[in-house]
Amino acid sequence: PIGVTLLVLWMYDGSQSLAHNVVIAQASLFLIPAAGFLYRDDPPASLLAVMREAPPVACWMLGAGVCELSPQAWDVDVRGRHGAVPVRCWGSPHRNVGLVVHVHGGGLHGGSFIAEQHVSQYLSVAANVCSVGYRLAPEHKDPVAVDDVEDAVRVLWPSAADVRGKPRRLVLFGISAGGYLAARVALRLASTETLLVMVAPMVSPTFFGPSQHQYARAVWGHQQNAWSWRWFLGESAETGHVDLLRAAEDGEKFPLTYVAVATRDYLRDQGVALAVSLNRTKQLVALKEWDTSHLGCKVRGFWDQCLGGARDRMIDFLRAAGT
């Protein structure tokens, strides 16, 4: 199944090397469905390690230049409350525009800004884009990942100020688990100068809609979803977790929010339910649907469908502030 999937991805974007497509496809996630059939309880730590190392190993084996630092990128070390937080930015350090903070996906226990650097580069036409390498579950429970992203934002955002010293507008962007973490940080910041952009977001550990039954045998299913939340939340899985859908229904103050969902995706109904709730309180900018799964965001041919609307909305939001 892994080989067939990679072959299909290569056919979608034959101009790129096979190694490029392995990384763009975030190869680690393709081992998760197989693990779901093999393990009814949590898979062993050794398998999790393999899932995390698949993209860089693919680069090493196949010589993928995509893993190398782009000339348009630079690294930032942020000192957070849990230690160093690596950040990679795209654009120009001297660019006089607002800031987009990209929170990568990966089920809260995987992924990296290497695996989603194509997304950061795609969005960088709107503003400088900084992607945060937050700590992962199960080694680090909630709220460590949220703290890491918040710490990075609080360091990076003040530096994106205009000549009068006024902080420019901020966009918090994330796909899947990244959308969930971005929303958690947005709720903490409570800023009117922030736009939240969530693509195929994880929203709730308890909400189950029809899409989660219809597409449960795709790349993401019940078993994998349960692992992710359990690993991330730990003991708070029963009492102290932050459920975004519940937070919206309880009237917590979200920033203006753009939600995009894939029509054939396990998480579709979670994103739609959150958008409907936010629309009642006029905090929803737009709800967009595109006809594929959220893995379309990994394939060049689908980038405009998956990310184009979000990128255009970011540009409009930043320009409205004179950036």
Side-chain angles (χ1 to χ4, degrees):
I2 297 172
V4 171
T5 302
L6 294 176
L7 178 61
V8 171
L9 288 171
W10 198 7
M11 291 170 62
Y12 274 130
D13 187 12
S15 64
Q16 300 295 321
S17 68
L18 176 60
H20 178 99
N21 283 294
V22 169
V23 177
I24 294 306
Q26 204 167 333
S28 59
L29 292 182
F30 288 101
L31 297 176
I32 297 177
F37 291 106
L38 294 174
Y39 300 99
R40 289 304 169 191
D41 297 318
D42 291 358
S46 57
L47 180 60
L48 179 60
V50 170
M51 288 190 282
R52 289 181 182 172
E53 293 302 320
V57 167
C59 292
W60 174 77
M61 291 178 63
L62 301 173
V66 72
C67 299
E68 298 174 359
L69 186 61
S70 165
Q72 290 77 40
W74 68 98
D75 289 340
V76 179
D77 286 326
V78 171
R79 300 303 303 179
R81 69 198 81 176
H82 304 290
V85 181
V87 175
R88 179 163 293 180
C89 299
W90 282 262
S92 168
H94 308 293
R95 197 176 187 186
N96 190 27
V97 292
L99 176 67
V100 177
V101 174
H102 173 193
V103 189
H104 69 78
L108 301 167
H109 58 75
S112 67
F113 48 52
I114 292 177
E116 285 191 16
Q117 68 176 10
H118 65 295
V119 175
S120 296
Q121 293 180 65
Y122 182 85
L123 298 176
S124 65
V125 300
N128 286 341
V129 177
C130 293
S131 186
V132 183
Y134 56 87
R135 288 168 175 78
L136 301 171
E139 295 89 345
H140 303 281
K141 308 295 186 186
D142 183 43
V144 173
V146 184
D147 292 344
D148 281 350
V149 177
E150 181 189 11
D151 291 343
V153 169
R154 293 190 182 278
V155 169
L156 296 166
W157 191 19
S159 67
D162 64 18
V163 293
R164 296 161 296 178
K166 178 183 177 181
R168 293 191 179 275
R169 285 188 163 187
L170 170 71
V171 176
L172 291 170
F173 169 88
I175 300 174
S176 189
Y180 171 78
L181 294 174
R184 290 277 302 271
V185 172
L187 289 171
R188 290 185 177 187
L189 296 176
S191 169
T192 58
E193 297 298 310
T194 299
L195 173 69
L196 173 62
V197 177
M198 309 171 73
V199 177
M202 294 175 68
V203 169
S204 167
T206 58
F207 175 88
F208 287 92
S211 68
Q212 289 172 272
H213 297 284
Q214 187 175 2
Y215 300 107
R217 294 190 180 182
V219 170
W220 201 254
H222 298 323
Q223 198 69 22
Q224 299 87 340
N225 193 59
W227 292 338
S228 294
W229 286 113
R230 185 165 61 248
W231 288 345
F232 176 72
L233 295 171
E235 295 301 321
S236 65
E238 296 298 327
T239 56
H241 68 262
V242 173
D243 183 314
L244 296 182
L245 185 57
R246 187 178 304 171
E249 292 172 346
D250 289 346
E252 289 200 35
K253 186 64 175 177
F254 279 73
L256 292 175
T257 303
Y258 174 96
V259 180
V261 296
T263 56
R264 291 174 286 159
D265 190 69
Y266 180 85
L267 296 171
R268 180 196 68 202
D269 292 341
Q270 290 205 6
V272 170
L274 179 64
V276 169
S277 184
L278 293 176
N279 191 48
R280 296 193 191 105
T281 55
K282 304 187 184 302
Q283 294 164 307
L284 181 72
V285 173
L287 169 65
K288 178 184 177 181
E289 298 187 35
W290 78 93
D291 188 25
T292 181
S293 76
H294 82 274
L295 286 176
C297 293
K298 312 293 183 184
V299 183
R300 183 182 296 273
F302 289 111
W303 287 357
D304 285 337
Q305 293 182 43
C306 171
L307 303 172
R311 186 178 66 177
D312 292 344
R313 190 67 65 170
M314 291 178 191
I315 293 173
D316 292 343
F317 177 76
L318 296 171
R319 284 179 177 172
T323 59

